[in-house]
Amino acid sequence: MSKLLKEKIIKIEKLAPLLFRLTIQSEYIAKNAKPGQFVNIKCCDGIDALLRRPISICSVNREQGLFDIVFEVRGRGTEILSLKKPGDILDILGPLGKSFYAPKDNSKIAIVGGGIGVFPLLFLLKELRCAHKTAFLGFRSAENAVLLDEFKKESDSMYVTTDDGSLGSKGFVTDILEQKLSEESYDIIYSCGPVVMMKRVAEAAQKHEIKCQVSLEERMGCGIGACLVCVCKTRKDDGWEYSHICSDGTVFWSSEVIFD
Amino acid sequence: MVISEDMNIAVDIAGLKLKNPVIAASGTFGFGREYSQYIDLNQLGGISVKGLTLEPRQGNKPPRIAETPAGILNSVGLQNPGVHSFIENEIPYIRQFDTAIIANIAGNTVEDYCKMAEILDDEDIDAIELNVSCPNVKAGCVAFGNNPSGIYEITSQVRKFCSKPLIVKLTPNVGDIRETAKAAEEAGADALSLINTILGMAIDIHKRRPILANNMGGLSGPAVKPVAVRMVYEVCQTVKIPVIGMGGISNGDDAVEFLLAGASAVMVGTANFVNPRACIDVLDGIKSYMLKHKYKSIYDIIGALELNQ
Ligand SMILES: Cc1cc2nc3c(=O)[nH]c(=O)nc-3n(C[C@H](O)[C@H](O)[C@H](O)COP(=O)(O)OP(=O)(O)OC[C@H]3O[C@@H](n4cnc5c(N)ncnc54)[C@H](O)[C@@H]3O)c2cc1C
Ligand SMILES: Cc1cc2nc3c(=O)[nH]c(=O)nc-3n(C[C@H](O)[C@H](O)[C@H](O)COP(=O)(O)O)c2cc1C
Ligand code: FES
């Protein structure tokens, strides 16, 4: 169950010129959040940046009742967020959305993340108890490739690509994934990032008959399934229907989703 | 919560009895379920449910929302499970709560509207709200609502099948809203609700394309409030039937503006997205205002506006 909360910001760190990590005190979210879930944040009081901004949960610290989000400054809302100070109170609705499927302990899993989509997958890596974890991470450039030490710590093998080749191999993260899939198999692949990337991940998973989950993104109104704006096409009987990403997802089995 | 034993806040809108004047606006509150984790639905005067059509509808392509200064544009396009699923699955749910159910209906043809009114007239709902003002669907709907003769035609036809209080929801996308208001009244509407969303557009300058997949959408939220207050005032001056006011209401003070302008009740829409407790906050705000100015009855403020001379 999600709640409307007023929580205190403990720490704010600049990870890259436009990337920030906020640490927030919240017993409720720390206790209840599952990987793949997000919070919907009112960036400031009043009518500026009117709607809440959806941001994924990047990690939780259950003992201390803390959770982290990592976000990129894109527009007004995230800019206001980036100017917050420790001690400020944040108006949060969460945790929202469905979480990733938890595989059996002896599973071999892979995560495939692109851009800001990598952060919710860090939470997943931290929570999963399974035999082997591989991380495939794609970034625009070295500058944006943050928290790699944490990804490294939480995974058994890690591959990094950048669009410009400034770190790891040059190209798309899906290129490496496809290459690896010809040598290795996984029980399940989890993906979050740009739609074009997730579509390729889903196709690769299907080709190799691997179960795959994707976490989708769309512009949101309410974040709780009431306004019906955040849709994606999913399969239904012989046809399709519009599902709602905030409440039916954000996590879907890739076989359910129709990527246009 | 503001408590005052001897305060009378119940309103009667042409037979639709509400224990207080705050209603959740259609399309912003689903069927109430989603909000029940944040507020007690028993505290609401009523819920106007998501716009219903005869058959289920999938709605428009995403993106369906764009934020604009102090508002939002939406182009949901009436995604809904259809009137039959509403009757089977949603009415029993909402009926658990002590709140009025207003069925908001839309269609492509006059026959669609009449058929739905006929079906719903036998069901356990408290009123029907004719949505002839949705800017987000191609056929029908708004075409009836944007001119007096269209409104007259559809209202008088639906009236024949509807014995429950019939509310006609007006679009602001007309030259003179008093004319469509009058047409609805003459055709037998019991009450009017306004405003629906204002047709608008937002452009992504980097992609040189509209943000909404549908190109245009309906504007709502604080940005529309002054326009809505003006229209509610004009309509209240023109018709004798009760008016339900809405457009950008986020707190009690906003709601009081509408009540002073003549509205007998208010609906809260976009504010629910920003604050899931918005309806309750609006209600508490109205009570605080009454307490502060020592009003005992909500009817002391309805239409109490005095114009500057
Ligand atoms: C489920 C979910 C999880 C997300 N998790 C993260 C995360 O962990 N880290 C992160 O940096 N970003 C994340 N995003 C994207 C983030 O929500 C947007 O970048 C942010 O809303 C932009 O707001 P703004 O005011 O800065 O930009 P503006 O462009 O000014 O925003 C205008 C409006 O468009 C919406 N919007 C703009 N871009 C997006 C987008 N890409 N997705 C959804 N809505 C958008 C905004 O919410 C706002 O309503 C997530 C999005 C979703 C849907
Ligand atoms: C996402 C969304 C969906 C809506 N759907 C409907 C609908 O199905 N039927 C209807 O009559 N009005 C619909 N409306 C209009 C609202 O009921 C209301 O008239 C309008 O939003 C103005 O009020 P507000 O500024 O408080 O939101 C919708 C509005 C929004 C924002
Ligand atoms: S954002 Fe409102 S239904 Fe998903």
Side-chain angles (χ1 to χ4, degrees):
Chain A
M1 207 177 96
S2 66
K3 274 193 178 174
L4 191 57
L5 303 160
K6 296 256 195 289
E7 306 289 29
K8 196 194 279 178
I9 294 171
I10 298 298
K11 197 158 89 178
I12 176 154
E13 297 157 85
K14 192 172 191 167
L15 303 175
L18 293 175
L19 271 178
F20 292 81
R21 173 159 62 183
L22 272 186
T23 303
I24 300 156
Q25 180 92 53
S26 175
E27 295 290 339
Y28 188 77
I29 302 235
K31 187 164 160 230
N32 294 289
K34 297 194 190 70
Q37 289 191 297
F38 65 99
V39 288
N40 218 359
I41 303 175
K42 183 77 178 94
C43 300
C44 60
D45 288 345
I47 56 178
D48 188 13
L50 183 69
L51 292 171
R52 289 171 181 273
R53 302 308 198 240
I55 305 284
S56 301
I57 296 164
C58 176
S59 70
V60 303
N61 180 331
R62 297 216 162 80
E63 292 74 47
Q64 296 182 38
L66 303 174
F67 77 97
D68 285 352
I69 55 171
V70 177
F71 64 91
E72 184 176 58
V73 174
R74 289 268 177 88
R76 184 73 188 136
T78 46
E79 185 194 349
I80 296 169
L81 264 193
S82 73
L83 300 172
K84 296 283 179 196
K85 302 265 175 306
D88 287 352
I89 301 296
L90 212 50
D91 176 344
I92 296 172
L93 191 61
L96 298 167
K98 302 223 158 76
S99 56
F100 287 109
Y101 169 80
K104 290 198 193 76
D105 286 358
N106 57 0
S107 304
K108 196 176 161 196
I109 67 106
I111 58 131
V112 187
I116 52 171
V118 303
F119 304 115
L121 296 171
L122 181 59
F123 185 16
L124 178 69
L125 283 180
K126 287 185 176 179
E127 295 283 304
L128 283 186
R129 299 281 155 261
C130 58
H132 195 274
K133 308 178 204 173
T134 306
F136 295 92
L137 307 172
F139 299 96
R140 256 168 301 173
S141 63
E143 188 178 77
N144 297 296
V146 300
L147 306 185
L148 287 187
D149 45 339
E150 295 197 31
F151 277 100
K152 188 149 202 166
K153 195 175 127 215
E154 300 297 338
S155 59
D156 300 291
S157 35
M158 182 170 94
Y159 303 90
V160 174
T161 64
T162 46
D163 297 352
D164 61 2
S166 52
L167 186 79
S169 32
K170 183 177 158 99
F172 295 128
V173 67
T174 42
D175 297 339
I176 302 234
L177 173 73
E178 279 158 16
Q179 209 177 307
K180 280 285 148 202
L181 283 176
S182 58
E183 304 158 14
E184 268 189 75
S185 190
Y186 305 98
D187 295 305
I188 184 163
I189 298 175
Y190 301 96
S191 186
C192 184
V195 177
V196 278
M197 181 203 87
M198 286 191 285
K199 186 178 177 190
R200 276 186 66 185
V201 173
E203 285 163 0
Q206 191 187 17
K207 184 170 148 207
H208 294 274
E209 295 179 353
I210 300 170
K211 284 194 289 191
C212 174
Q213 283 196 319
V214 291
S215 175
L216 303 182
E217 191 185 291
E218 184 50 80
R219 284 173 186 257
M220 292 184 174
C222 64
I224 60 173
C227 72
L228 312 183
V229 303
C230 62
V231 290
C232 66
K233 267 189 187 175
T234 52
R235 283 175 223 287
K236 186 197 181 190
D237 306 327
D238 305 332
W240 62 272
E241 65 181 346
Y242 276 134
S243 291
H244 297 99
I245 292 176
C246 70
S247 50
D248 300 323
T250 61
V251 177
F252 293 89
W253 291 103
S254 65
S255 53
E256 293 175 318
V257 178
I258 301 173
F259 294 97
D260 285 316
Chain B
M1 205 199 348
V2 181
I3 301 162
S4 176
E5 294 283 319
D6 57 352
M7 202 185 268
N8 173 22
I9 52 167
V11 292
D12 184 331
I13 297 170
L16 170 64
K17 292 191 170 47
L18 306 177
K19 67 179 160 212
N20 69 61
V22 180
I23 307 167
S26 175
T28 65
F29 211 73
F31 299 102
R33 274 176 214 275
E34 292 77 14
Y35 286 92
S36 64
Q37 27 177 349
Y38 311 106
I39 61 174
D40 176 7
L41 300 182
N42 293 302
Q43 289 188 41
L44 299 179
I47 298 174
S48 176
V49 302
K50 176 67 209 169
L52 302 165
T53 51
L54 209 45
E55 301 300 329
R57 267 179 72 98
Q58 289 300 329
N60 293 326
K61 275 195 199 151
R64 291 177 173 184
I65 189 167
E67 191 179 272
T68 56
I72 62 170
L73 286 175
N74 91 81
S75 59
V76 171
L78 290 175
Q79 181 170 18
N80 81 95
V83 70
H84 296 289
S85 167
F86 166 68
I87 291 167
E88 200 174 318
N89 304 312
E90 309 300 342
I91 294 179
Y93 174 77
I94 312 176
R95 261 301 168 243
Q96 302 171 68
F97 303 95
D98 175 24
T99 192
I101 306 178
I102 301 174
N104 180 284
I105 62 171
N108 292 333
T109 61
V110 176
E111 291 71 43
D112 286 357
Y113 280 95
C114 290
K115 191 103 181 269
M116 269 190 282
E118 190 178 13
I119 296 169
L120 287 164
D121 210 40
D122 294 331
E123 299 298 330
D124 186 13
I125 57 162
D126 300 292
I128 290 181
E129 182 176 46
L130 272 194
N131 176 5
V132 284
S133 46
C134 177
N136 291 321
V137 291
K138 286 197 183 67
C141 207
V142 75
F144 299 115
N146 66 8
N147 63 87
S149 57
I151 286 253
Y152 186 90
E153 165 71 7
I154 195 143
T155 307
S156 54
Q157 292 297 328
V158 171
R159 181 76 274 184
K160 294 178 190 159
F161 298 93
C162 175
S163 62
K164 296 190 192 272
L166 178 62
I167 305 164
V168 175
K169 186 164 181 178
L170 301 178
T171 173
N173 304 313
V174 290
D176 187 347
I177 197 159
R178 289 172 297 191
E179 290 178 10
T180 43
K182 234 179 327 183
E185 180 182 43
E186 281 163 13
D190 294 309
L192 303 175
S193 60
L194 63 142
I195 60 174
N196 207 319
T197 54
I198 302 176
L199 194 59
M201 193 169 181
I203 295 171
D204 181 330
I205 58 169
H206 304 292
K207 295 184 183 151
R208 281 172 277 118
R209 281 172 180 274
I211 295 177
L212 298 176
N214 204 40
N215 297 322
M216 293 184 196
L219 182 66
S220 63
V224 310
K225 199 189 78 182
V227 178
V229 171
R230 186 264 296 175
M231 289 187 161
V232 166
Y233 173 73
E234 284 185 334
V235 168
C236 290
Q237 294 298 306
T238 308
V239 301
K240 295 199 176 60
I241 53 178
V243 168
I244 302 171
M246 81 193 93
I249 296 175
S250 330
N251 55 45
D253 291 359
D254 294 340
V256 170
E257 280 196 52
F258 282 83
L259 296 170
L260 289 173
S264 304
V266 294
M267 289 183 171
V268 178
T270 303
N272 293 305
F273 305 162
V274 180
N275 168 18
R277 297 185 45 82
C279 288
I280 305 299
D281 290 354
V282 167
L283 179 58
D284 283 348
I286 295 173
K287 290 189 210 160
S288 297
Y289 173 85
M290 289 176 66
L291 217 54
K292 184 170 173 206
H293 294 277
K294 303 197 170 58
Y295 290 119
K296 289 258 183 285
S297 163
I298 190 87
Y299 284 97
D300 295 339
I301 52 176
I302 293 172
L305 178 74
E306 289 177 46
L307 286 195
N308 302 319
Q309 292 308 318

